[in-house]
């Protein structure tokens, strides 16, 4: 197959603000930076470099108004610590209709884009 997933694009009224959040959250590098467009890529030389899709933040005039149709799920080693770290970077808890008994935490980035912080995998799950 000749098709490759290159990037995921995120619209924003302030690409710099939301790109900074995701750059800090993921530890990625800026590979392109203009007032209207910022690209993030995984750190050079890591296993994700050249494999994981880039994230492209694009300036648009309108604010986000409804729930995302697409969002990122993040899998940390320590869910509680990662939620606290992301909140420190500007994320906030939000609801997309999830119940209280789910194993993930729903957050919104500084632009209101939803993301989920999943529970850590167990040793048994990692061994599979």
């Amino acid at each position: 197959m000749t098709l490759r997933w290159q990037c995921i694009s995120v619209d924003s009224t302030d690409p710099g603000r939301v790109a900074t959040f995701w750059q800090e959250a993921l530890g990625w590098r800026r590979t392109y930076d203009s007032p209207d467009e910022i690209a993030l890529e995984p750190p050079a030389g890591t296993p994700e470099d050249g494999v994981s899709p880039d994230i492209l933040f694009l300036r648009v005039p309108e604010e986000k108004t409804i729930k995302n149709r697409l969002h990122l799920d993040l899998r940390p080693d320590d869910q509680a610590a990662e939620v606290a770290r992301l909140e420190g970077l500007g994320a906030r808890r939000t609801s997309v209709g999830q119940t209280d008994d789910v194993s993930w935490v729903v957050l919104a980035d500084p632009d209101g884009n939803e993301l989920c912080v999943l529970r850590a995998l167990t040793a048994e799950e990692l061994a599979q």
Side-chain angles (χ1 to χ4, degrees), residues 10-16 34-37 57-61:
V10 179
D11 290 347
S12 176
T13 57
D14 186 351
S34 78
D36 294 330
E37 184 177 328
F57 300 92
L58 304 168
R59 183 174 304 280
V60 295

Side-chain angles (χ1 to χ4, degrees), residues 18-66:
V18 74
T20 296
F21 169 83
W22 282 103
Q23 183 176 6
E24 299 262 336
L26 297 172
W28 284 21
R29 60 193 163 110
R30 285 187 190 211
T31 55
Y32 184 80
D33 193 340
S34 78
D36 294 330
E37 184 177 328
I38 298 171
L40 298 182
E41 295 182 36
T46 63
E48 294 84 16
D49 187 22
V51 176
S52 291
D54 306 343
I55 305 176
L56 186 63
F57 300 92
L58 304 168
R59 183 174 304 280
V60 295
E62 67 277 355
E63 297 280 337
K64 178 185 176 294
T65 58
I66 60 171

Side-chain angles (χ1 to χ4, degrees), residues 100-122:
D100 291 336
D101 61 346
V102 297
S103 63
W104 60 88
V105 177
V106 182
L107 298 175
D109 73 12
D111 252 9
N113 299 303
E114 295 88 10
L115 61 122
C116 291
V117 181
L118 307 176
R119 66 170 175 75
L121 293 175
T122 65

